[in-house]
Amino acid sequence: MLKENLRTVEEKIEAACKRAGRSRDEVTLIAVSKTKPLEMLQEIYDTGTRHFGENKVQELCDKMEQMPSDIQWHMIGHLQRNKVKYIVGKVALIHSVDTYRLAEEINIQAKKRNITVPILVEVNIAGEESKFGISAEDAILLVEDISRLENVQIKGLMTIAPYVADPEENRLYFRRIKQLSVDITNKNIDNVSMEILSMGMTGDYEVAIEEGATMVRVGTGIFGERIYKKSNV
Ligand SMILES: *Cc1c(COP(=O)(O)O)cnc(C)c1O
């Protein structure tokens, strides 16, 4: 069942790449496995998938301990500063950095371990009240500030587009954040690269790819609907 889901997602990614005149290897699929049991992750792992995304530190660390060590884990959820120490050096990429203070804490923990930590700056591209992320207007300043931290390296931008019935409604936002990443590239800021654009979820990843996504984060489309226990809400 999951394998068929994954195949469907893969076919849609390939088709979107083709429409956009892009090569399939420009886009990394992250299987978002939050709330899902290890057996399901293992089933997807067995197809060759090596990028998994989680949004909670505890769950991420638990799963990391129990799954094969060649998985690249992506922290995609809101991150509290007091939990940074548990994931620095363990995850492949932190997608959700939206304040200088958070980047500073990542820098401190990275320095302690003598490593450089790759991060994305999360942008609230639609300016939704309910969402984390820096506003598009303030993003460049934040990137410039973070760029001065020695043990953190900005690799690009991430966004969570609005929840919409028709993915076409998000095309404008994807286009805007792509443009923002081009604007930042053109500033040639030391220690900053814009090679990654993490955007697109189950409802809108095809449009996101057409607009330049290099990472798509797909949960429901692979693992099915999530059931949240009351304690998780
Ligand atoms: C849960 C989550 C996803 C995946 O959402 P789906 O709609 O299930 O594909 C992607 N990105 C982030 C940040 C998430 O929290």
Side-chain angles (χ1 to χ4, degrees):
M1 221 273 277
L2 295 193
K3 287 190 175 131
E4 277 153 36
N5 291 349
L6 183 65
R7 196 174 315 128
T8 304
V9 170
E10 181 54 47
E11 282 166 8
K12 288 182 174 173
I13 290 174
E14 278 168 29
C17 284
K18 201 168 244 175
R19 284 196 298 278
R22 303 181 65 196
S23 152
R24 171 64 187 89
D25 27 286
E26 288 175 43
V27 180
T28 301
L29 170 61
I30 300 172
V32 177
S33 49
K34 62 192 189 199
T35 78
K36 298 298 179 181
L38 292 173
E39 306 81 72
M40 292 177 99
L41 277 72
Q42 188 65 46
E43 192 175 336
I44 292 302
Y45 176 90
D46 290 340
T47 66
T49 302
R50 291 296 178 269
H51 292 267
F52 286 80
E54 290 283 338
N55 70 338
K56 293 209 160 71
V57 169
Q58 181 73 52
E59 187 176 349
L60 175 61
C61 292
D62 288 348
K63 284 176 171 168
M64 193 182 291
E65 268 177 30
Q66 298 177 75
M67 291 291 293
S69 60
D70 63 343
I71 290 179
Q72 306 217 34
W73 293 96
H74 295 260
M75 175 57 191
I76 61 173
H78 181 63
L79 181 56
Q80 288 169 311
R81 280 181 299 143
N82 61 355
K83 293 190 177 159
V84 166
K85 56 179 177 285
Y86 301 118
I87 62 163
V88 159
K90 292 187 179 172
V91 296
L93 186 62
I94 301 173
H95 290 232
S96 43
V97 178
D98 62 352
T99 63
Y100 182 72
R101 273 154 50 96
L102 176 59
E104 219 174 16
E105 176 60 20
I106 296 170
N107 191 57
I108 289 168
Q109 297 300 332
K111 203 165 268 178
K112 271 190 194 167
R113 294 162 180 77
N114 206 14
I115 57 172
T116 302
V117 172
I119 64 154
L120 303 179
V121 168
E122 179 175 353
V123 180
N124 184 349
I125 199 69
E128 290 177 285
E129 291 274 338
S130 60
K131 290 212 170 94
F132 291 105
I134 184 89
S135 69
E137 299 76 54
D138 298 333
I140 295 183
L141 270 181
L142 180 62
V143 167
E144 285 173 340
D145 287 343
I146 294 175
S147 75
R148 295 185 198 101
L149 298 169
E150 282 186 346
N151 293 61
V152 168
Q153 201 197 7
I154 296 179
K155 293 277 191 189
L157 305 177
M158 180 274 233
T159 200
I160 304 173
Y163 188 78
V164 289
D166 177 4
E168 283 298 329
E169 290 176 46
N170 281 336
R171 189 179 293 278
L172 171 76
Y173 295 124
F174 294 141
R175 213 168 268 181
R176 258 190 218 163
I177 194 164
K178 169 69 188 181
Q179 185 57 48
L180 180 60
S181 85
V182 170
D183 292 345
I184 294 171
T185 302
N186 290 340
K187 286 192 161 274
N188 280 315
I189 306 164
D190 264 3
N191 193 33
V192 171
S193 118
M194 284 286 129
E195 68 201 78
I196 298 175
L197 201 48
S198 169
M199 61 186 191
M201 307 174 24
T202 296
D204 56 19
Y205 65 91
E206 296 165 84
V207 174
I209 289 169
E210 288 170 10
E211 297 301 330
T214 70
M215 283 186 174
V216 291
R217 311 176 307 265
V218 180
T220 312
I222 296 172
F223 295 103
E225 293 288 339
R226 286 176 293 273
I227 299 157
Y228 287 97
K229 293 187 216 96
K230 270 230 168 80
S231 61
N232 280 338
V233 176

